[in-house]
Amino acid sequence: MKQDAPADADRTARRFAERARELPGDDTTPAFAAVEPTTRADPYGAFATSFVSPESFDGPLSDLSVAVKDNVAVRGVAHGVGTASLAVEADRDATVVERIRASGADLVGTTRMDPFALGVTGESGDGGRTVNPAAVDAIPGGSSAGSAAAVAGGLVDAALGTDTAGSVRVPASFCGAVGVKPTFGRVPRTGVVDLAPTLDHVGVVGQDVETAARLLDRVSGRDPLFPSDAAAEPTAAGDELESSVDRLRIGVPESFAEAAARPVRAVFESALTALAGRDGVTVERLSFPEHGDAGFVNQLHTVSEFAAMLDGAGQPLSGGRTKLVQAVFAAGLDGADAPDRVRELAATGRALNEAEPGAYSDAWAARRRLVRRVEACFDRVDVLVTPTTPTTAPDVGAVGPDADHDVGDLFANTAPFNCTGNPAVSVPCGDSAGRPVGVQVVAPTGADEEALRAAREVESVVADGAV
């Protein structure tokens, strides 16, 4: 039972709040000028806002056009975070946006998303569904639907998304792009609207592994504005891709492969056969009994942490409480045109936090077991390889409680690695009935470069026509 605070605690709290209001604010001049709105061709409904930067720079990414998901702050842009009603103008760029702009890339827009990033289909965002460029009758996947569609449709070279249960890798797989979820904490989230802070990753979608690696190298590394990132080092994946693979021990968690529909598994097994035929590559089948519970563990963490942030309790965990982040959670669902499913999941999270607080602790215990299982796998192999999603992109309208596919089925193979924080890359590996199939490569924590090198091997066997 919640106890009333003593009177002296209330007085002390008021003094703290009064003193906090008197503190000088962050008066640092923004690094870059605000972007300016423009219009662009958008045949897939990929963009939330299109813009141009009044400044241009020479840098390592000057040859790339880049977009960022609408929950990533861009100064001068009104962000809806997937809704039509929130329109919160960001007063400064997110750290990752500052890095993109400093690298010389052409930052062209924010991309559409499922509201609050709480979705996996790409159908429920502001303005309706985003179109899958690879299969127009199929969903693009979500919640980073616009980022994947913009890349797959050739509107940009690369884009940033966020990934809580697979929201970068799932749409990348469905649309036929490369999707990277880095090691947890390796890319800063300052200025990014979180969904579940202990699961969230800022990730990259690219037209190929090299492009994704180049962007990841520029946005990764510690953020001096967020002390918990102090140990994060930038990746050097672009350089590592040039080195040859002398030995690659691939582990295949059988439960992930068995979860895949027969056509997807056929493509996956063909890729494994092609990889096993390369010098220095071995393939070993592994047991992974925790697979079946991992998606549920991820969901419980997500709804609990999302509800806590809506109620103000999750502020210390969130990735940098910038104006955008503060305003989104201050408005909450009462100020947004959120779909019924988002409201229901938020209500479930509140009920869990209030009436069943032990469930969150139980999920953490299961999550620690999942981490130990992954670590045990890496005692035997260098990377894990799985189908990214159990199916190819379902038809529009075919995902939901009363439809052909359950929401949880789409992220069954991706969500476990948000729980563990390992780097994971989805790379296109052929198609089934004209719809892309993705293969997921997972590496030990901190070994993002190894994950991308192995993904490049998959990419090369596809290019060689071996799949």
Side-chain angles (χ1 to χ4, degrees), residues 6 21 26 41 67 121 125 132 197-198 215 222 258 266 360 402 418 433 437:
R21 286 191 289 269
D26 179 5
T121 68
N132 183 338
T198 73
L215 181 55
R222 69 176 296 268
E258 291 168 356
Y360 187 73
D402 301 317
N418 292 85
V437 172

Side-chain angles (χ1 to χ4, degrees), residues 418-443:
N418 292 85
C419 293
T420 65
N422 293 83
V425 181
S426 178
V427 60
C429 189
D431 68 88
S432 174
R435 298 187 181 185
V437 172
V439 167
Q440 178 178 231
V441 179
V442 183

Side-chain angles (χ1 to χ4, degrees), residues 69 111-114 119 140-149 160-163 167-168 171-172 205:
K69 191 174 179 178
T111 57
R112 287 170 56 183
M113 57 184 284
D114 291 295
S143 62
S144 304
S147 292
L160 295 187
T162 57
D163 193 310
S167 287
V168 164
V205 183

Side-chain angles (χ1 to χ4, degrees), residues 231-296:
E233 293 292 333
T235 60
D239 294 337
E240 290 287 334
L241 289 179
E242 301 305 318
S243 60
S244 60
V245 177
D246 296 325
R247 185 191 75 169
L248 182 62
R249 299 174 301 166
I250 294 173
V252 179
E254 275 291 85
S255 50
F256 288 73
E258 291 168 356
R262 185 176 299 173
V264 170
R265 185 162 188 180
V267 175
F268 173 70
E269 294 293 343
S270 177
L272 287 178
T273 300
L275 287 167
R278 296 206 155 191
D279 290 342
V281 177
T282 60
V283 176
E284 180 180 354
R285 307 283 172 161
L286 301 173
S287 173
F288 204 112
E290 292 78 12
H291 174 252
D293 292 330
F296 168 74

Side-chain angles (χ1 to χ4, degrees), residues 1-5 354:
M1 179 181 295
K2 182 178 179 181
Q3 296 181 347
D4 293 334
E354 293 171 5

Side-chain angles (χ1 to χ4, degrees), residues 50-64:
S50 295
F51 49 74
V52 294
S53 172
E55 304 160 308
S56 61
F57 305 90
D58 289 330
L61 301 184
S62 293
D63 59 324
L64 298 184

